Amino acid sequence: MNTNQNGLNMNEHAKNNQLAAFRVKHDDQVLTTDQGVHVSNTDDSLTAGARGPTLMEDFHFREKLTHFDHERIPERVVHARGFGVHGYFQVYEPMTQLTKAKFLQDPNVKTPVFTRFSTVVGSRGSADTVRDVRGFAVKFYTEDGNLDITGNNMPIFFIQDAIKFPDLVHAIKPEPDNEIPQAASAHDTFWDFVVNTPELTHMIMWLMSDRAIPRSYRMMEGFGVNTFRLINEQGIARFVRFHWKPLLGVHSLVWDEAQKISGKDPDFHRRDIWDAINKGEFPEYEFGIQVIEEQDEFKFGFDILDPTKFWPEELIPVKIIGKMTLNKNVENFFAETEQVAFCPSNIVPGLDFSNDPLLQGRLFSYLDTQLIRLGGPNFHEIPINRSIAPVHNNQRDGYHRMTIDHGKVSYSPNSLANNRPNPCETSGYQHYQEKVEGVKIRARSLSFQDHFSQATMFWNSMSPPEKQHIINAFQFEVGSVKDKQIKQRVVDLFNNVDHELAKQIAIGVGATQPGSGRTGASETSPAVSQLNTIMTAKTRKVAILAEDGFNHAEVSKLMNSLNGAGVCFEVISKNLGTIKSSDQKELEVVKNHHTGTSVLYDAVYVAGGRASVDAMLECGEALHFVNEAFKHCKTVGAANEGVDLLKVSSITGVNYSKGENIVSELGVLTQNKADNLTEFCKQFIDAIAKHRHWERESVKGTVPA
Ligand code: HDE
C-alpha cells in the first residue's frame, strides 16, 4: 500500500494536509486584530472619559462587533441539524467488471470521506431524536475528484418529481403563521399535504416506523435512494442503488424515550458518535450495491426509476463491496460540518445518473442552494469541500476567491498558453450515451402510479411489535391534527394499505372506521424489518445503580465482564463524588439522579449490598429509573440484594429467582445468591445484545413503550 510514515494512505494524507494548511492554533499567542496588530485590552471600549461615549476610532471594538454581527450564515433549508465526521472507505475487491471508478478498484487504497448525518425538518438548534428521516451524506475525496452520495436512512422518498419538493417542505416545516411545531410532522399542514398527495403513502409508512427514531447514527442504514448507473471500461452501463449497512445493526429508540431524550439531551445523537469516535469505537458501515442489467429495466412489478419504490433485497440482492470507517471527529464544527456542501451531481467517471425525475431535480438544487448558503461560487475552495484531485479551469473571481490564478489566459481555446488547461477525451468524464426521445410533456409516467402495493408490502414485512409502533405513531401524529376532515382522510387513505391499520388509526384519533379495505397477505421483504438485523452488545451503555455499602466483588466482576464485551457503563448514585462498598472500596460516581436518567442508557443494573439497596429503596429516583427502563423494554439486571428493588418496582410479568438460579424473563435477569456471577454477566450481556425486549409490550398491565 502506498503509505506515508504515519501509516496513512496517500489519499488520506493529501486530505489531512489540505485541512492542516488552514488550521490555526491560538494557544500561547498574543491577541491581535484581523490585521495582525497586537491588542492591549479587549474588555473595555475606548471612551471619552470613564463614563463617556464610545469613540468611533476604536477600531478593535468596531472590528470585533462587526465580525460578530456577521458570523451567522443561513442554515440549510432542509437538513439544517446535522453532524459530520471524517473517515475512510476501502473496497473489498476490484469492481472492474461493473465500473471504472478508480476508488472501487484497489482494496489497498483508502479513500478519505466526510460523512454528515442529519435530521430533515428541524432548525439547526433542534433536538436530535425527533421523528424524522435522517440524512446520510457521504463525500468521497477520490483521486478522480469528489463523489457525493447524498442519501437518507430510508430507501425511498416522499415524492416522485423534484418539482413537488418545495410543496413537501413547506407543508412539513413549522406552520408559517406561528412557526409551530418545531422539527415535527405532527401538524395539520403536513397531513393535509399527505391526504392530497397519495404518492407519499409508502414513505409515510417508513416515517411512522421505528426507522424514524434511530438509536444512534452508528446504528442506522444509509440509502442512495435514487437510481444511478455504473459504467465499466467497455462503456457497458447498469442501473444501481447504493446501500450502507452498519456493523452494529439497525436499531431504534422507542417513541416515549425519544421524546424524553429531546429534553434531557437534545444533542443525544451527536454526543453518541462524538464520544464513540473519541473512545476509539469507530463506526463501520459496509457499502452495498443492487445492480440491474439494462435489459432488465422493465422486468419488475415497479418502475426502477421511481424513488417511492425500494428494490426488495430478496429480489435484487445487495452485493457488499466495501467498508467505510469513521475514525475522526471534526476540529471545528462550523468550518467542517456547517460549511460542507453536498451535491448529487458531484460524480466521477464510472458512475452516471439515471432519468429518475427526483434525481434530475436534485442535480440542479444542491449547487443552487450552496450559492446562497455559502455566499457565492467559490465554495469548492473551502477546505472541507476541496478535492484532493488538482483543479485547473478558467473559472475566475467571485466572492471570497482564494486561489491566486497565475497568468493572463482565462479562456479557451487559446494559443498564448498552448490551449491549456485543455480537455482530455481519455481521462475526462464521459456521459453515458443513452438514447432518449420523446415529446415535451408535463405528465407522470403511468408506471409510477401504484402508490400502495409497496406500502402494503412494508406493512406486511413488519413484526408484531413494529406494527404496533406504527399504529402508535399514527395515533400520535394524526391525533395531533386539529382538522377532523384531514383525520378522516388519513384513515381512508391508509385503508388502501391495510384495513386493520386504518381501523386502528380511526379508533385512536376518533374518526369513523372504514367499512372494508385492503386485507390479506401480500409479498413481504423480511430485510426491511429491524428484527432481522445484527444484534450485538458492543458499545451499548449500561447504568449501574449503586450507593454506599454496595457489593464490591459483584460490581467489579460485572464491570470486568462488560469491559471484556466492549460494553460501556456508568455508575449512577444519589450524589456525585465517590461511594464506598461494604468492604470500604471506593468507586467513582459518573452521574447523579439529576444528570443520569434511564433514557440515556441501553440497560440498567442494580448493584447488590444491603446498605446500598436500602438507600435505593428510600430513593424514588432509583425506582423510577428501573420502572422507566422496563417500560422502554431495556435489559434490567440485579443480583443479591439488588433484586429487592425490582420486587417493589412496577415491573410486571416477571417471577424473581427464589434460589441460586439465574432467572431471565422478559429481559429481566435476577439471581438471589450471586455465586455464579460469570454466567450471570454473560446472560446479562446477551440480553443487552437483543437491543430491546419487545415481548414486554404484550404483557397485560405493561404500559406500551
Ligand atoms: Fe435533499 N436537499 N433534496 N434529498 N438532501 C438538500 O442541499 C433536494 C432528497 C439530502 O448533510 C439541500 O445543501 C431536492 C432525497 C441530504 O449537507 C437542498 C430534492 C434525498 C441533505 C436539497 C431532495 C436527499 C440534503 C438543502 C428532490 C435522499 C443534507 C441544503 C425532491 C437521497 C446534506 C443542501 C448535508 C440537502 C434539495 C430530495 C438527501 C435544498 C430538490 C431524495 C442528506 O439542495
Side-chain angles (χ1 to χ4, degrees):
M1 194 189 314
N2 199 2
T3 51
N4 74 355
Q5 57 189 14
N6 297 326
L8 285 179
N9 189 285
M10 292 321 278
N11 293 337
E12 286 180 289
H13 189 57
K15 190 64 208 168
N16 279 349
N17 273 353
Q18 232 176 29
L19 293 171
F22 290 90
R23 195 174 296 138
V24 177
K25 286 206 167 146
H26 299 300
D27 326 346
D28 299 328
Q29 300 295 329
V30 172
L31 186 74
T32 75
T33 67
D34 279 342
Q35 309 306 318
V37 175
H38 284 196
V39 172
S40 56
N41 174 346
T42 193
D43 299 325
D44 304 297
S45 320
L46 186 70
T47 51
R51 298 180 64 250
T54 304
L55 295 177
M56 182 83 134
E57 72 185 60
D58 187 351
F59 57 86
H60 174 52
F61 165 84
R62 278 190 291 113
E63 181 191 87
K64 188 170 170 182
L65 269 281
T66 307
H67 198 282
F68 169 74
D69 293 343
H70 294 258
E71 71 188 24
R72 288 287 171 275
I73 62 170
E75 65 174 34
R76 289 164 175 82
V77 61
V78 283
H79 296 266
R81 170 89 184 162
F83 199 68
V85 288
H86 295 272
Y88 61 87
F89 171 80
Q90 271 179 299
V91 72
Y92 286 150
E93 54 186 61
M95 287 292 112
T96 327
Q97 269 196 314
L98 293 174
T99 175
K100 60 182 175 189
K102 265 208 201 111
F103 80 108
L104 294 177
Q105 304 309 327
D106 185 351
N108 289 320
V109 169
K110 285 185 178 175
T111 299
V113 297
F114 188 72
T115 299
R116 183 174 179 272
F117 301 103
S118 49
T119 53
V120 178
V121 180
S123 290
R124 206 182 130 181
S126 58
D128 278 347
T129 58
V130 297
R131 177 175 296 283
D132 199 354
V133 182
R134 298 299 185 283
F136 192 128
V138 183
K139 187 181 282 295
F140 296 77
Y141 304 93
T142 87
E143 289 167 43
D144 278 341
N146 287 353
L147 163 71
D148 294 351
I149 298 186
T150 315
N152 280 343
N153 75 329
M154 299 180 192
I156 57 160
F157 200 64
F158 295 93
I159 47 173
Q160 297 172 320
D161 187 322
I163 201 167
K164 296 298 301 163
F165 194 60
D167 300 303
L168 165 72
V169 176
H170 288 172
I172 202 169
K173 280 272 184 181
E175 296 183 6
D177 48 357
N178 55 13
E179 213 187 32
I180 297 174
Q182 179 55 245
S185 48
H187 58 111
D188 283 48
T189 55
F190 179 61
W191 288 93
D192 182 25
F193 185 69
V194 172
V195 295
N196 284 298
T197 323
E199 71 198 68
L200 265 76
T201 309
H202 185 194
M203 184 67 168
I204 296 302
M205 294 299 294
W206 287 79
L207 187 66
M208 295 302 107
S209 81
D210 292 347
R211 299 264 172 172
I213 40 172
R215 157 66 180 82
S216 158
Y217 290 141
R218 303 177 292 127
M219 299 167 200
M220 218 170 68
E221 272 179 302
F223 303 90
V225 178
N226 296 119
T227 302
F228 286 80
R229 280 189 167 94
L230 293 176
I231 320 277
N232 68 12
E233 206 60 69
Q234 292 71 44
I236 296 170
R238 294 173 175 89
F239 294 104
V240 65
R241 281 205 179 174
F242 298 115
H243 295 248
W244 294 107
K245 291 192 175 282
L247 290 187
L248 293 175
V250 189
H251 302 284
S252 293
L253 299 167
V254 294
W255 181 228
D256 179 66
E257 179 191 17
Q259 287 176 295
K260 287 173 176 162
I261 296 174
S262 287
K264 300 274 185 192
D265 185 6
D267 305 305
F268 184 73
H269 281 149
R270 56 171 65 171
R271 194 188 308 286
D272 168 270
I273 195 164
W274 170 268
D275 286 349
I277 291 179
N278 284 344
K279 278 191 268 178
E281 294 162 357
F282 300 144
E284 295 174 310
Y285 309 79
E286 287 196 307
F287 188 51
I289 50 174
Q290 283 177 297
V291 178
I292 293 180
E293 299 290 334
E294 287 239 306
Q295 65 268 24
D296 295 337
E297 183 174 356
F298 302 105
K299 206 175 120 183
F300 301 93
F302 52 90
D303 194 320
I304 66 163
L305 300 187
D306 178 352
T308 64
K309 307 292 181 299
F310 64 98
W311 298 0
E313 292 187 26
E314 295 74 15
L315 211 57
I316 304 140
V318 177
K319 182 179 165 59
I320 298 297
I321 65 167
K323 192 173 75 178
M324 170 169 76
T325 307
L326 300 177
N327 63 352
K328 196 164 133 314
N329 276 314
V330 295
E331 293 192 35
N332 183 285
F333 182 89
F334 180 82
E336 299 168 81
T337 302
E338 201 52 20
Q339 293 200 110
V340 68
F342 291 93
C343 181
S345 64
N346 288 348
I347 201 144
V348 292
L351 273 83
D352 206 338
F353 315 115
S354 75
N355 297 334
D356 171 346
L358 199 74
L359 174 61
Q360 292 283 319
R362 295 180 74 203
L363 300 179
F364 161 76
S365 181
Y366 289 67
L367 190 135
D368 183 46
T369 207
Q370 310 309 348
L371 293 177
I372 177 113
R373 193 171 74 80
L374 297 170
N378 289 316
F379 62 86
H380 63 280
E381 294 190 332
I382 296 172
I384 194 68
N385 294 325
R386 282 177 185 250
S387 66
I388 56 166
V391 174
H392 299 288
N393 59 40
N394 292 322
Q395 270 104 258
R396 291 288 185 276
D397 308 346
Y399 283 112
H400 320 301
R401 182 72 171 177
M402 302 284 157
T403 307
I404 304 176
D405 298 291
H406 178 78
K408 34 171 129 263
V409 172
S410 55
Y411 52 88
S412 168
N414 70 67
S415 20
L416 290 178
N418 289 330
N419 207 25
R420 305 304 292 252
N422 57 347
C424 171
E425 271 203 19
T426 47
S427 63
Y429 185 89
Q430 306 270 5
H431 289 266
Y432 176 61
Q433 296 192 356
E434 181 190 5
K435 182 164 185 278
V436 276
E437 55 184 346
V439 288
K440 279 188 215 164
I441 183 172
R442 282 190 191 275
R444 206 66 63 87
S445 167
L446 286 177
S447 57
F448 275 39
Q449 290 189 352
D450 171 8
H451 303 314
F452 303 125
S453 297
Q454 278 207 350
T456 305
M457 183 194 216
F458 178 75
W459 171 253
N460 284 337
S461 307
M462 295 287 101
S463 60
E466 288 171 308
K467 280 189 174 169
Q468 189 56 51
H469 298 165
I470 291 174
I471 292 168
N472 297 348
F474 267 108
Q475 292 185 346
F476 174 88
E477 293 265 322
V478 185
S480 310
V481 169
K482 293 191 200 75
D483 188 289
K484 284 192 177 146
Q485 191 209 351
I486 295 175
K487 287 187 201 175
Q488 189 60 50
R489 287 180 65 193
V490 173
V491 171
D492 297 343
L493 180 66
F494 285 87
N495 201 29
N496 295 304
V497 176
D498 184 83
H499 180 57
E500 186 54 31
L501 167 65
K503 225 172 81 182
Q504 292 302 325
I505 303 173
I507 292 170
V509 306
T512 308
Q513 292 182 36
S516 62
R518 198 155 174 158
T519 48
S522 78
E523 285 171 309
T524 59
S525 172
V528 301
S529 165
Q530 290 184 209
L531 259 54
N532 300 326
T533 188
I534 298 170
M535 300 287 180
T536 169
K538 259 192 208 154
T539 78
R540 292 308 183 114
K541 226 169 151 184
V542 179
I544 301 176
L545 305 188
E547 299 291 342
D548 280 330
F550 70 94
N551 180 336
H552 183 264
E554 175 200 310
V555 170
S556 49
K557 176 87 190 164
L558 175 82
M559 287 176 166
N560 285 339
S561 305
L562 294 175
N563 269 331
V567 182
C568 318
F569 53 83
E570 284 177 351
V571 174
I572 301 182
S573 303
K574 198 158 176 270
N575 299 311
L576 289 176
T578 50
I579 49 173
K580 274 196 182 141
S581 65
S582 51
D583 51 357
Q584 300 302 305
K585 302 227 168 63
E586 289 201 343
L587 194 61
E588 197 188 340
V589 177
V590 180
K591 296 263 170 68
N592 60 25
H593 282 298
H594 298 288
T595 59
T597 84
S598 88
V599 293
L600 306 178
Y601 297 88
D602 292 294
V604 54
Y605 181 85
V606 185
R610 191 68 268 155
S612 170
V613 174
D614 284 347
M616 279 191 256
L617 284 167
E618 279 176 25
C619 154
E621 299 293 352
L623 211 51
H624 175 68
F625 201 111
V626 169
N627 287 339
E628 196 175 46
F630 181 77
K631 173 180 155 84
H632 295 149
C633 301
K634 296 172 181 176
T635 300
V636 177
N640 297 317
E641 298 85 354
V643 183
D644 292 353
L645 189 76
L646 306 194
K647 284 181 183 161
V648 299
S649 73
S650 0
I651 292 179
T652 45
V654 173
N655 289 317
Y656 299 106
S657 57
K658 298 205 170 53
E660 295 174 17
N661 294 339
I662 299 167
V663 174
S664 167
E665 280 188 55
L666 302 175
V668 179
L669 279 95
T670 54
Q671 188 184 20
N672 267 353
K673 190 165 179 305
D675 289 341
N676 193 6
L677 261 181
T678 311
E679 179 56 24
F680 183 85
C681 292
K682 187 186 162 296
Q683 289 192 24
F684 184 59
I685 291 164
D686 289 348
I688 297 169
K690 290 192 177 137
H691 176 60
R692 297 299 162 91
H693 303 277
W694 301 122
E695 63 274 20
R696 272 181 214 165
E697 289 178 347
S698 42
V699 174
K700 227 175 157 198
T702 315
V703 190

